[in-house]
Amino acid sequence: MANTASPADPTRRDFLYLTTGAMGVVGTAAALWPFIDQMNPDASTRALASIEVDIGAIEPGQSITVQWRGKPVFIRNRTPEEIEAAKSVPLAELRDPLARNDNAAADADASDANRATDGMENILVMVGVCTHLGCIPLGQQGEYGGWFCPCHGSHYDTAGRIRKGPAPENMHVPVYTFVNDTRLRIG
Amino acid sequence: MTKTMIRWAAAAVLGVGLGFGGFAAVAQEEHGAEEAHAPTHFPIYKPEYVDWSFAGPFGTFDKGQLQRGYKVYKEVCASCHSMSLVKFRNLAEEGGPGFTEEQAKVLAAEYTIVDGVDDSGEPLERPRELKDPFPSPFPNDNAARASNGGALPPDFSLIAKARAVERGFPQFVFDIFVPYQEQGPDYIHALLTGYQDPPEGVTVPEGQYYNPYFISGMSLAMAPPLSDEVVEYTDGTPMTVDQYSKDVAAFLMWAAEPHLEARKRLGFHAMIFMAVFAGLLYLTKRKVWRDVAH
Amino acid sequence: MSGHSTYEPRTGVEKWLERRLPIVRLMHDTAVSYPTPRNLNYFWTFGAILVFMLVVQILTGVVLAMHYAANSAVAFQSVEAIMRDVNWGWLLRYMHANGASMFFIAVFIHMFKAMYYGSYKEPRELLWILGVIILLLMMATAFMGYVLPWGQMSFWGATVITNFFTAIPLVGEPIQTLLIGGFAVDNATLNRFFSLHYLLPFMIFGVVILHIWALHVSGQNNPLGIDTKSEKDTVPFTPYATLKDVFALVVFCLFFGWFLFFQPNYLGHPDNYIQANPLVTPAHIVPEWYFLPFYAILRAITFDIGPINSKLGGVIAMFGSIAILVFLPWLDTSKVRSARFRPLFKIFFWVFAITCVMLGWLGSRPAEGGYVLAAQLFTAYYFAHFLIVLPLLGFLETPKPLPTSITDAVLAKNGGHAHPVGAAASPEKH
């Protein structure tokens, strides 16, 4: 038979078959990659970087929700009592010890100071998405006076930190800067 | 024997007759087109070839040329022609004019855009950012027509791919092998440098300008847009209409096909890979078939 | 062909499957042990190339549909977003657009091969007719796909083609209105064309399965056009035909790649980079190149034929030019299949091939003067070839003597030096 009857140089024959087969596999895999990668966010989605929000009209004890990258962002002007309540929690009591703040170091602890910005600590900015399975928590509810997620019962405190329930992490703080006292730039 | 020969002759007569009839009819048509007194087929002259850096399988854009072309577009063309599909971020993307992200941000911030409404419902205006498209000179088509004597200046995002002078036989066959894909920029360059006085006996309608390179008539509503030294070049490139036309045509080609460099680069790698693979497959196939007469 | 399967399940999984769903046996009989004539030339690789192109078109199409928006307000912009912003979008879209052209190039070669070697003759009439149905479905799919980018040629192509139906007396206009869902081509038309453009390829896939099934019942024709007489005349599909097909496929991909990477817009029309405008018709409306011969036939009928006016006549001629293919197996009266043994047919075959090419070129010319006359002449021959030449040739022509078997012919060609192996025995036996 054609592929059994060449005792002359079996090594060269095998090498040829192996190389050809390997090239076929590599070529097919390379050709398939664009079909998968096209599902990743496209250039226009990646470029939707930042929004600016007017925060001058938010009274203490009020919140607004704005949309950023398709997700809700909570901006809350916290009352002194809420800030005090958040500060008084010992770090050891927190379920998630990390700040989850993109403006701070990745390993920063979850103290209230690391959740807000120095000098503007009454303004709490965070992505309003429960870290459990992505529902939007309700404001000023739950056992810790912060946020409560109705989907699966996660309780967040007044600094947006997870205290009770199935969610594993504190609500995430996006990158933001204060353009001036009344304008906030997210992203 | 004679019978066979008669059959062959009959077949040959039919084939040749058909061919001659068809070709003669076509030849007559082509001849007639040349004889016609007033031109009925446009453009009157075909564009000349320009030696583009981005032509051919290994072509790449000349970044300096694209930056100059952007300047020409911005200072001359943009007063009438929009470019709504091109975003400022594109200026800093790979394979383009090679502006840095900071430069592109500055260029974007020269313009404003109405984006959403404020809390009282009034439209909110802000400076343009990288994500925003080039600004349009007119709010809508009717406004554009009203300002241009009834003619609508076309959007420039795709103009370099949307204009091509017909190549005709046999050039369209050779084009495959060259490969020639630069009809668009060649046309833009020819049009911009092709304005001239109409020949004797030709009257150009009011508000129109004679240009034998224009693709759909002998004159167009756009006045010659360029003149020497109208755009300031700081890198020593000659400030001539010819150079401006080349630069802006190259810029428009990039705008129409921003991934041209990536396409040709990937193409080169893919073709080499497939050529080697085909060679190996041929050897494998020959080996397998060696003992089978076929 | 012989009907009995040489497959024997060996592993446990195969044995388990064999009693419940003998799909491995089906695959084995179809793509491994299937006996193929040993003398097939490279024209017989286009079947595999066409299967590959169908898969490429479906894969790229499914992926493009993830980004495309079938709404006349944004369709054009969504295609440009694919070209500019989607990761690899330019590659996928150019693959799909040029892939359509490659599909037609391959299918035309496939068809001319069948005509040259008489592959449509008894017992392969149904195989051929299924192929004509595939061609029709491909044409419908390609036409509707070309509308989706919503450029000027998309819009005006759709307008012209759907106006074909108004040529039908009495019911024509209501049918056209029904098809386009309005009084002119608009958003409703775009939406239904997108839906059908997504559906038809799967129907093509279904007919392709029937086509391959029919092929495996009758067996492949071969360049000699004579039946296979013994196992000696054939080799098993794998590895012989498989490797040859893959080699030809990669060479075809090189050809595809040349257009895809270095001139992706060569086969398209520049006007389709201008957004559709219902108020402005382009100077020349030209269909995609693969429709040009049929378009030339449509325009060649410039005169009334009795009660049939030129408009209806053109539409009938155009559809007739495809419909006539269905009857080809019976219009060709010769019992000899391959043109190798038909000296007169060989000449007329090439006259016919040139006629098709000339019709294609004339379809791209403006419909005026000598071009129209030329198109009329070639159209006349197109139909005469099927209706006069082929029926007569069977009686007038004296075919050359046929070889007694494929193996004899092959050995004679090779001067008797090749090993007369019983190649049909599967290589995995022993």
Side-chain angles (χ1 to χ4, degrees):
Chain A
M1 284 319 306
N3 51 357
T4 54
S6 74
D9 51 350
T11 15
R12 216 184 104 197
R13 188 196 64 202
D14 292 348
F15 177 74
L16 178 64
Y17 292 168
L18 276 176
T19 319
T20 312
M23 271 194 98
V25 171
V26 170
T28 311
L32 280 179
W33 172 241
F35 289 81
I36 296 161
D37 190 38
Q38 54 85 22
M39 294 220 265
N40 276 316
D42 69 15
S44 67
T45 308
R46 294 196 302 264
L48 290 179
S50 58
I51 55 166
E52 277 190 27
V53 189
D54 188 354
I55 53 167
I58 312 174
E59 297 294 326
Q62 283 189 339
S63 314
I64 61 166
T65 305
V66 295
Q67 204 179 347
W68 175 70
R69 286 189 175 174
K71 292 176 183 172
V73 170
F74 296 155
I75 304 171
R76 179 164 178 81
N77 191 346
R78 298 187 291 177
T79 61
E81 297 78 46
E82 286 174 343
I83 299 169
E84 200 44 52
K87 283 190 166 170
S88 63
V89 180
L91 288 181
E93 262 182 43
L94 295 172
R95 293 270 306 278
D96 177 10
L98 295 176
R100 308 286 172 191
N101 184 341
D102 289 342
N103 306 284
D107 58 351
D109 65 53
S111 64
D112 188 68
N114 282 340
R115 295 279 295 166
T117 302
D118 213 21
M120 294 289 277
E121 58 189 12
N122 57 319
I123 302 292
L124 179 66
V125 182
M126 58 190 187
V127 177
V129 172
C130 180
T131 57
H132 180 220
L133 290 171
C135 294
I136 301 175
L138 304 168
Q140 287 64 61
Q141 293 192 18
E143 294 176 18
Y144 298 86
W147 284 264
F148 170 69
C149 182
C151 291
H152 308 97
S154 292
H155 298 256
Y156 297 87
D157 67 12
T158 54
R161 298 173 296 198
I162 181 66
R163 301 298 291 277
K164 189 181 171 189
E169 291 173 9
N170 302 325
M171 274 195 268
H172 291 202
V173 178
V175 170
Y176 65 87
T177 46
F178 291 97
V179 180
N180 53 44
D181 281 356
T182 62
R183 283 193 80 78
L184 177 73
R185 187 185 173 85
I186 304 173
Chain B
M1 202 61 211
T2 28
K3 227 175 154 188
T4 327
M5 279 174 71
I6 290 169
R7 280 181 207 147
W8 276 85
V13 165
L14 191 119
V16 171
L18 186 73
F20 263 113
F23 288 113
V26 169
Q28 178 205 348
E29 171 55 29
E30 303 249 293
H31 190 61
E34 272 169 35
E35 287 256 302
H37 195 68
T40 51
H41 291 77
F42 300 104
I44 298 169
Y45 302 143
K46 298 215 167 187
E48 293 114 46
Y49 300 105
V50 178
D51 188 15
W52 302 107
S53 69
F54 50 84
F58 305 105
T60 52
F61 287 114
D62 171 351
K63 289 189 170 59
Q65 183 171 47
L66 294 192
Q67 294 198 2
R68 294 195 301 272
Y70 173 62
K71 195 160 194 237
V72 175
Y73 166 74
K74 184 177 148 186
E75 293 179 13
V76 181
C77 320
S79 56
C80 295
H81 294 277
S82 60
M83 232 166 146
S84 55
L85 297 172
V86 181
K87 316 274 168 65
F88 281 101
R89 65 181 156 81
N90 296 140
L91 291 172
E93 280 168 4
E94 214 187 311
F99 287 108
T100 64
E101 201 150 288
E102 290 314 309
Q103 286 172 319
K105 273 182 186 162
V106 173
L107 290 168
E110 289 176 27
Y111 308 93
T112 58
I113 189 171
V114 175
D115 182 18
V117 289
D118 64 13
D119 292 341
S120 55
E122 295 300 315
L124 205 58
E125 203 167 10
R126 60 164 176 79
R128 288 193 187 237
E129 298 169 4
L130 290 179
K131 67 182 178 194
D132 296 314
F134 284 11
S136 298
F138 303 105
N140 52 57
D141 286 359
N142 283 4
R145 279 199 191 88
S147 308
N148 289 283
L152 177 66
D155 184 90
F156 269 5
S157 313
L158 284 163
I159 203 82
K161 288 200 287 189
R163 295 288 184 280
V165 174
E166 214 197 297
R167 298 285 289 161
F169 183 80
Q171 284 91 336
F172 80 83
V173 181
F174 301 145
D175 287 352
I176 299 176
F177 301 98
V178 173
Y180 177 66
Q181 273 270 280
E182 289 74 39
Q183 288 104 318
D186 278 349
Y187 171 73
I188 293 166
H189 171 259
L191 183 79
L192 289 173
T193 54
Y195 285 93
Q196 49 191 257
D197 293 330
E200 231 167 287
V202 173
T203 44
V204 175
E206 177 84 21
Q208 296 262 313
Y209 302 85
Y210 181 77
N211 190 328
Y213 293 93
F214 183 49
I215 199 164
S216 50
M218 61 178 185
S219 59
L220 68 164
M222 176 170 74
L226 296 169
S227 53
D228 289 351
E229 317 220 325
V230 73
V231 178
E232 179 83 20
Y233 280 171
T234 51
D235 60 353
T237 311
M239 297 190 278
T240 60
V241 170
D242 182 66
Q243 187 64 38
Y244 292 149
S245 306
K246 282 178 184 158
D247 292 350
V248 82
F251 173 73
L252 292 173
M253 185 67 227
W254 164 77
E257 186 83 5
H259 298 294
L260 179 142
E261 284 189 9
R263 164 161 64 77
K264 293 187 174 182
R265 199 170 46 235
L266 177 67
F268 176 67
H269 293 147
M271 296 295 270
I272 293 284
F273 182 91
M274 288 194 293
V276 173
F277 187 37
L280 283 175
L281 275 167
Y282 180 71
L283 294 177
T284 311
K285 180 243 151 198
R286 218 175 51 169
K287 216 146 225 177
V288 167
W289 277 85
R290 187 181 41 199
D291 294 334
V292 183
H294 54 281
Chain C
M1 248 194 318
S2 50
H4 83 93
S5 174
T6 59
Y7 171 69
E8 278 170 42
R10 264 180 251 134
T11 64
V13 178
E14 284 176 62
K15 282 175 184 150
W16 191 89
L17 272 174
E18 180 68 12
R19 284 187 57 205
R20 291 160 179 85
L21 181 72
I23 191 163
V24 186
R25 175 181 297 278
L26 180 72
M27 303 303 289
H28 186 273
D29 294 350
T30 310
V32 179
S33 65
Y34 175 63
T36 63
R38 64 197 300 181
N39 61 335
L40 298 186
N41 58 32
Y42 276 102
F43 284 109
W44 264 265
T45 59
F46 279 88
I49 289 170
L50 283 162
V51 171
F52 172 78
M53 284 316 302
L54 178 61
V55 171
V56 166
Q57 289 304 87
I58 289 181
L59 274 183
T60 50
V62 165
V63 155
L64 288 170
M66 294 182 189
H67 304 280
Y68 172 74
N71 180 308
S72 60
V74 292
F76 187 83
Q77 283 76 11
S78 78
V79 170
E80 273 308 308
I82 291 172
M83 291 296 288
R84 289 159 192 270
D85 291 341
V86 171
N87 307 315
W88 305 99
W90 58 269
L91 177 69
L92 297 164
R93 195 248 168 165
Y94 275 152
M95 247 193 218
H96 198 67
N98 285 286
S101 283
M102 297 300 132
F103 206 159
F104 275 97
I105 288 175
V107 96
F108 288 149
I109 294 175
H110 193 63
M111 290 173 69
F112 276 109
K113 173 219 71 178
M115 290 189 189
Y116 188 82
Y117 295 111
S119 303
Y120 47 80
K121 290 184 193 181
E122 194 276 328
R124 300 186 184 84
E125 302 95 327
L126 197 53
L127 178 62
W128 168 261
I129 291 171
L130 287 168
V132 176
I133 294 172
I134 293 172
L135 175 71
L136 267 176
L137 288 172
M138 276 175 66
M139 292 173 83
T141 311
F143 157 65
M144 286 191 271
Y146 194 56
V147 175
L148 303 186
W150 211 239
Q152 273 290 67
M153 278 297 162
S154 301
F155 183 91
W156 291 100
T159 301
V160 168
I161 305 283
T162 53
N163 262 301
F164 286 171
F165 294 92
T166 63
I168 306 167
L170 297 174
V171 292
E173 288 207 24
I175 289 180
Q176 188 222 13
T177 308
L178 178 88
L179 285 175
I180 63 177
F183 305 107
V185 171
D186 205 343
N187 190 47
T189 322
L190 178 63
N191 262 295
R192 64 193 57 189
F193 278 16
F194 179 56
S195 167
L196 294 173
H197 181 71
Y198 209 129
L199 168 71
L200 287 185
F202 297 97
M203 294 177 65
I204 294 178
F205 202 90
V207 184
V208 164
I209 288 174
L210 296 182
H211 190 71
I212 294 175
W213 185 9
L215 174 77
H216 282 246
V217 171
S218 59
Q220 279 162 299
N221 187 25
N222 63 80
L224 295 172
I226 56 175
D227 291 331
T228 51
K229 297 209 168 65
S230 69
E231 287 209 334
K232 268 201 218 164
D233 288 345
T234 64
V235 289
F237 193 83
T238 300
Y240 296 99
T242 328
L243 266 173
K244 199 168 171 178
D245 282 352
V246 173
F247 166 64
L249 176 63
V250 175
V251 172
F252 187 79
C253 284
L254 278 166
F255 176 75
F256 186 0
W258 182 259
F259 284 92
L260 170 61
F261 293 115
F262 302 126
Q263 34 196 25
N265 294 307
Y266 178 83
L267 295 162
H269 197 287
D271 277 7
N272 230 24
Y273 281 112
I274 304 169
Q275 191 169 359
N277 182 348
L279 301 179
V280 181
T281 306
H284 299 295
I285 296 193
V286 191
E288 289 288 79
W289 69 267
Y290 36 80
F291 292 142
L292 289 174
F294 308 105
Y295 192 59
I297 291 174
L298 170 82
R299 297 191 308 180
I301 311 299
T302 52
F303 43 85
D304 297 349
I305 310 160
I308 300 168
N309 66 20
S310 58
K311 180 175 173 179
L312 182 58
V315 173
I316 290 175
M318 196 195 73
F319 281 108
S321 68
I322 301 162
I324 203 166
L325 296 174
V326 171
F327 303 99
L328 175 59
W330 296 278
L331 289 170
D332 186 345
T333 50
S334 173
K335 292 276 173 272
V336 177
R337 293 199 188 100
S338 174
R340 280 197 190 171
F341 307 105
R342 300 185 61 192
L344 275 181
F345 171 74
K346 206 186 235 176
I347 298 172
F348 283 102
F349 171 84
W350 288 112
V351 172
F352 177 72
I354 291 165
T355 296
C356 292
V357 172
M358 287 307 292
L359 280 172
W361 182 65
L362 288 164
S364 76
R365 304 284 85 202
E368 53 196 23
Y371 293 135
V372 175
L373 185 62
Q376 286 166 344
L377 265 170
F378 285 113
T379 301
Y381 182 74
Y382 182 95
F383 285 101
H385 181 78
F386 290 108
L387 296 173
I388 301 169
V389 176
L390 289 183
L392 281 184
L393 273 186
F395 299 105
L396 296 179
E397 187 178 51
T398 321
K400 292 184 191 167
L402 296 176
T404 47
S405 79
I406 293 173
T407 308
D408 289 348
V410 163
L411 292 182
K413 189 184 83 180
N414 287 298
H417 288 308
H419 311 266
V421 288
S426 328
E428 60 274 307
K429 260 190 186 172
H430 313 299

